[in-house]
Coordinates of all heavy atoms in Angstrom, one line a residue:
L1 N 129.0 100.9 79.0 CA 127.9 101.6 79.8 C 127.9 103.1 79.7 O 126.8 103.7 79.8 CB 128.3 101.2 81.3 CG 127.9 99.8 81.6 CD1 128.5 99.5 83.1 CD2 126.4 99.5 81.6
K2 N 129.0 103.7 79.4 CA 129.1 105.1 79.1 C 128.6 105.5 77.8 O 128.1 106.6 77.6 CB 130.5 105.6 79.4 CG 131.0 105.6 80.8 CD 132.5 106.1 80.9 CE 132.9 106.1 82.3 NZ 134.3 106.7 82.5
A3 N 128.7 104.6 76.8 CA 128.4 104.9 75.5 C 126.8 104.9 75.2 O 126.3 105.6 74.3 CB 129.0 103.9 74.5
G4 N 126.1 104.1 75.9 CA 124.7 104.0 75.6 C 124.0 103.1 76.6 O 124.6 102.3 77.3
R5 N 122.7 103.2 76.7 CA 121.9 102.3 77.6 C 122.0 100.9 77.2 O 121.6 100.5 76.1 CB 120.4 102.8 77.7 CG 119.6 102.0 78.6 CD 118.2 102.4 78.7 NE 117.4 101.7 79.8 CZ 117.4 102.2 81.0 NH1 118.0 103.3 81.4 NH2 116.7 101.5 81.9
P6 N 122.5 100.0 78.1 CA 122.6 98.6 77.7 C 121.3 97.8 77.9 O 120.4 98.3 78.6 CB 123.7 98.1 78.7 CG 123.4 98.9 79.9 CD 123.0 100.3 79.4
A7 N 121.2 96.7 77.2 CA 120.1 95.8 77.4 C 120.2 95.0 78.7 O 119.3 94.9 79.4 CB 119.9 94.9 76.2
W8 N 121.4 94.4 78.9 CA 121.7 93.7 80.0 C 123.2 93.8 80.5 O 124.0 94.1 79.6 CB 121.5 92.1 79.8 CG 120.1 91.6 79.8 CD1 119.2 91.8 78.8 CD2 119.4 90.9 80.8 NE1 118.0 91.2 79.1 CE2 118.1 90.7 80.4 CE3 119.8 90.5 82.1 CZ2 117.2 90.0 81.2 CZ3 119.0 89.8 82.8 CH2 117.7 89.6 82.4
R9 N 123.4 93.7 81.8 CA 124.8 93.5 82.3 C 125.0 92.0 82.6 O 124.0 91.3 82.9 CB 125.0 94.4 83.5 CG 125.3 95.8 83.2 CD 125.6 96.6 84.5 NE 126.6 96.0 85.3 CZ 126.6 96.0 86.6 NH1 125.6 96.6 87.3 NH2 127.5 95.4 87.3
I10 N 126.2 91.6 82.5 CA 126.5 90.2 82.7 C 127.6 90.2 83.8 O 128.7 90.8 83.6 CB 127.0 89.5 81.4 CG1 126.0 89.6 80.3 CG2 127.4 88.0 81.7 CD1 126.6 89.5 78.9
E11 N 127.4 89.5 84.9 CA 128.3 89.4 86.0 C 128.5 88.0 86.5 O 127.5 87.3 86.9 CB 127.9 90.3 87.1 CG 127.8 91.8 86.9 CD 129.2 92.4 86.7 OE1 130.1 91.8 87.2 OE2 129.3 93.5 86.1
A12 N 129.7 87.4 86.4 CA 129.9 86.1 86.8 C 129.6 86.0 88.3 O 130.0 86.8 89.1 CB 131.4 85.7 86.6
I13 N 129.0 84.8 88.7 CA 128.6 84.6 90.1 C 129.8 84.5 91.0 O 129.7 84.7 92.2 CB 127.6 83.4 90.2 CG1 126.9 83.4 91.5 CG2 128.4 82.1 89.9 CD1 125.8 82.4 91.5
D14 N 130.9 84.0 90.4 CA 132.1 83.8 91.2 C 133.2 85.0 91.0 O 134.3 84.8 91.3 CB 132.8 82.5 90.9 CG 133.0 82.3 89.4 OD1 132.4 83.0 88.6 OD2 133.7 81.3 89.1
G15 N 132.8 86.1 90.5 CA 133.7 87.2 90.2 C 133.8 88.0 91.5 O 133.1 87.9 92.5
A16 N 134.9 88.8 91.5 CA 135.2 89.7 92.8 C 134.2 90.7 92.9 O 133.6 91.3 91.9 CB 136.5 90.3 92.6
E17 N 133.8 91.0 94.1 CA 132.7 92.0 94.5 C 133.1 93.4 94.1 O 132.3 94.2 93.7 CB 132.4 91.9 95.9 CG 131.2 92.7 96.4 CD 129.9 92.2 95.8 OE1 129.8 91.0 95.5 OE2 129.0 93.0 95.6
D18 N 134.4 93.7 94.2 CA 134.8 95.1 93.9 C 134.5 95.6 92.5 O 133.9 96.7 92.4 CB 136.4 95.2 94.2 CG 136.9 96.6 93.9 OD1 136.4 97.5 94.7 OD2 137.8 96.8 93.1
G19 N 134.9 94.8 91.5 CA 134.6 95.2 90.1 C 133.1 95.3 89.9 O 132.7 96.3 89.2
R20 N 132.3 94.4 90.4 CA 130.9 94.5 90.2 C 130.3 95.7 90.9 O 129.5 96.4 90.2 CB 130.2 93.2 90.7 CG 128.7 93.3 90.7 CD 128.0 92.0 90.9 NE 126.5 92.2 90.8 CZ 125.7 91.2 90.6 NH1 126.1 89.9 90.5 NH2 124.4 91.4 90.5
T21 N 130.8 96.0 92.1 CA 130.3 97.2 92.8 C 130.5 98.5 92.0 O 129.7 99.4 91.9 CB 130.9 97.3 94.1 OG1 130.5 96.2 94.9 CG2 130.4 98.5 94.9
K22 N 131.7 98.6 91.4 CA 132.0 99.8 90.6 C 131.1 99.9 89.4 O 130.7 101.0 89.1 CB 133.5 99.7 90.1 CG 134.5 99.9 91.3 CD 136.0 99.8 90.8 CE 136.9 99.9 91.9 NZ 138.4 99.8 91.4
L23 N 130.9 98.8 88.7 CA 130.0 98.8 87.6 C 128.5 99.1 88.0 O 127.8 99.7 87.2 CB 130.1 97.5 86.8 CG 131.5 97.4 86.1 CD1 131.5 96.0 85.3 CD2 131.8 98.5 85.1
D24 N 128.1 98.6 89.2 CA 126.8 98.8 89.7 C 126.6 100.4 89.8 O 125.6 100.9 89.5 CB 126.7 98.2 91.1 CG 126.4 96.7 91.0 OD1 126.1 96.2 89.9 OD2 126.5 96.0 92.1
R25 N 127.6 101.0 90.4 CA 127.6 102.5 90.7 C 127.5 103.2 89.4 O 126.6 104.1 89.2 CB 128.7 102.9 91.5 CG 128.6 102.4 93.0 CD 130.0 102.7 93.7 NE 129.9 102.2 95.1 CZ 131.0 102.2 95.9 NH1 132.1 102.5 95.4 NH2 130.8 101.7 97.1
L26 N 128.3 102.8 88.4 CA 128.3 103.5 87.1 C 127.0 103.3 86.4 O 126.4 104.3 85.9 CB 129.5 102.9 86.3 CG 129.5 103.4 84.8 CD1 129.7 104.9 84.8 CD2 130.6 102.7 84.1
T27 N 126.4 102.1 86.5 CA 125.2 101.9 85.8 C 124.0 102.6 86.4 O 123.2 103.3 85.7 CB 124.9 100.4 85.9 OG1 125.9 99.6 85.3 CG2 123.6 100.0 85.2
Q28 N 124.0 102.6 87.8 CA 122.9 103.3 88.5 C 123.0 104.8 88.2 O 121.9 105.4 88.0 CB 123.0 103.0 90.0 CG 121.9 103.6 90.8 CD 120.6 102.9 90.5 OE1 120.5 101.7 90.3 NE2 119.5 103.7 90.5
A29 N 124.2 105.4 88.2 CA 124.3 106.8 88.0 C 123.9 107.2 86.5 O 123.2 108.2 86.3 CB 125.7 107.3 88.2
A30 N 124.2 106.4 85.6 CA 123.9 106.7 84.2 C 122.6 106.3 83.7 O 121.9 107.1 83.0 CB 125.0 106.0 83.3
W31 N 122.1 105.1 84.2 CA 120.9 104.6 83.6 C 119.8 104.1 84.6 O 118.7 103.7 84.2 CB 121.2 103.4 82.7 CG 122.3 103.7 81.7 CD1 123.6 103.2 81.7 CD2 122.2 104.6 80.6 NE1 124.3 103.8 80.7 CE2 123.5 104.6 80.0 CE3 121.2 105.3 80.0 CZ2 123.8 105.4 78.8 CZ3 121.5 106.1 78.9 CH2 122.7 106.1 78.3
G32 N 120.1 104.1 85.8 CA 119.2 103.6 86.8 C 119.2 102.0 86.8 O 120.3 101.4 86.7
E33 N 118.1 101.4 86.9 CA 118.0 99.9 86.9 C 118.2 99.3 85.5 O 117.5 99.6 84.6 CB 116.7 99.4 87.5 CG 116.5 99.8 89.0 CD 117.5 99.1 89.9 OE1 117.9 98.0 89.6 OE2 117.9 99.7 90.9
I34 N 119.2 98.4 85.5 CA 119.5 97.6 84.3 C 119.5 96.1 84.7 O 120.1 95.8 85.7 CB 120.8 98.0 83.6 CG1 120.8 99.4 83.1 CG2 121.1 97.1 82.5 CD1 119.8 99.7 82.0
P35 N 118.8 95.3 84.0 CA 118.8 93.8 84.5 C 120.2 93.2 84.4 O 121.0 93.6 83.5 CB 117.9 93.1 83.5 CG 117.9 94.1 82.3 CD 118.0 95.5 82.8

């Protein structure tokens, strides 16, 4: 996510919320909305 704009992020539906939230924030700060 830091290296370049991604095409998609992949998040398991049964994954922990904490990790996803951190990546959500990083993505939003760097690239805005990413599917």
Side-chain angles (χ1 to χ4, degrees):
L1 287 169
K2 290 181 177 181
R5 185 180 184 88
W8 281 79
R9 280 181 51 215
I10 304 158
E11 295 289 340
I13 197 170
D14 51 349
E17 187 67 25
D18 181 59
R20 174 168 182 162
T21 298
K22 289 177 180 178
L23 292 178
D24 284 344
R25 291 171 179 168
L26 174 59
T27 304
Q28 187 65 39
W31 309 109
E33 293 295 327
I34 296 295

